[in-house]
Amino acid sequence: GAGVSQTPSNKVTEKGKYVELRCDPISGHTALYWYRQSLGQGPEFLIYFQGTGAADDSGLPNDRFFAVRPEGSVSTLKIQRTERGDSAVYLCASSFLQVGDTEAFFGQGTRLTVV
Amino acid sequence: QQQVKQSPQSLIVQKGGISIINCAYENTAFDYFPWYQQFPGKGPALLIAIRPDVSEKKEGRFTISFNKSAKQFSLHIMDSQPGDSATYFCAASVSGGGADGLTFGKGTHLIIQP
């Protein structure tokens, strides 16, 4: 596809379970970002990848959250021992270079609901 | 600490009117200021962006005004249309070194009444 693709679109999980959220960036984009958007709020930065490495993970709220990008393309956000407060829309964005130098394109998001 | 403050939270404008949304920032290192438009169930999409070397940028019906000394920038939507009804986010980042990407405002829910 031409845009950023996120799967699944919706995920309902029970408190305490483990979830994985996937992001397929635009081909050729080296920069990949994960954001979390709570209801009625703006997106909040979680983690930034440049290629395969996490250049900045300062936005991850705690050690239950982890993300990988092993081949410099697809990324997976992993949440362990989910809590009800993790419920939000998780957005992925990619850009050719770092955002601010080139435009960032967002996926449609994964709506995570922890019950 | 909220680095980008956006107002108003919600806005209702008559069709054909001018919609104005304001943002203020704190971090003087920010040098890239985009506006994003988001429809329900969709991700944010870039609308227009400005850098601090200019005070105004216009693209079609959308204009960004930028005041570096006041650390404020605003979005003006001229001849507002019902299709413009969406949530708008201002954002800011540091290019060439700002690894944490975009810092967003809390958003403005815009309704254009026909």
Side-chain angles (χ1 to χ4, degrees):
Chain A
V4 178
S5 177
Q6 291 188 246
T7 53
S9 298
N10 287 281
K11 177 71 176 178
V12 180
T13 191
E14 292 181 346
K15 178 176 178 290
K17 298 291 188 181
Y18 168 84
V19 296
E20 290 189 351
L21 312 179
R22 176 186 170 107
C23 172
D24 280 89
I26 293 173
S27 178
H29 281 193
T30 62
L32 186 146
Y33 301 81
W34 283 98
Y35 291 84
R36 179 167 70 176
Q37 186 174 24
S38 301
L39 190 63
Q41 301 294 316
E44 293 180 322
F45 168 78
L46 294 176
I47 187 170
Y48 158 59
F49 287 91
Q50 182 58 250
T52 60
D56 185 350
D57 63 359
S58 62
L60 295 178
N62 52 59
D63 60 6
R64 295 186 298 105
F65 289 74
F66 188 72
V68 296
R69 194 186 185 197
E71 298 179 354
S73 178
V74 171
S75 177
T76 304
L77 179 65
K78 308 180 180 189
I79 310 175
Q80 299 177 323
R81 304 183 304 280
T82 52
E83 300 177 355
R84 293 195 177 87
D86 299 334
S87 297
V89 174
Y90 290 82
L91 294 164
C92 175
S94 72
S95 60
F96 182 65
L97 297 173
Q98 190 169 280
V99 72
D101 298 314
T102 56
E103 179 181 350
F105 295 84
F106 282 82
Q108 84 283 3
T110 293
R111 180 176 298 278
L112 176 65
T113 303
V114 182
V115 297
Chain B
Q1 179 185 4
Q2 184 186 354
Q3 294 196 58
V4 179
K5 295 183 179 180
Q6 183 172 346
S7 63
Q9 185 174 350
S10 61
L11 180 62
I12 299 174
V13 175
Q14 295 296 315
K15 179 182 174 182
I18 303 173
S19 304
I20 301 174
I21 305 171
N22 300 298
C23 280
Y25 63 97
E26 299 169 5
N27 186 352
T28 55
F30 287 147
D31 62 356
Y32 175 68
F33 303 91
W35 284 90
Y36 282 83
Q37 180 188 57
Q38 186 176 31
F39 293 103
K42 303 293 185 182
L46 180 66
L47 197 60
I48 187 173
I50 198 169
R51 297 192 185 275
D53 53 342
V54 296
S55 60
E56 186 175 281
K57 183 175 181 180
K58 182 177 180 179
E59 291 184 0
R61 296 184 294 109
F62 301 93
T63 300
I64 298 179
S65 297
F66 183 81
N67 185 329
K68 187 175 182 179
S69 61
K71 294 188 286 185
Q72 295 176 346
F73 58 110
S74 61
L75 175 70
H76 291 61
I77 306 174
M78 312 299 287
D79 186 27
S80 300
Q81 299 297 311
D84 297 330
S85 297
T87 300
Y88 292 81
F89 294 95
C90 61
S93 74
V94 178
S95 60
D100 59 351
L102 295 160
T103 299
F104 284 86
K106 291 192 173 183
T108 296
H109 186 210
L110 175 64
I111 297 173
I112 307 300
Q113 290 187 332

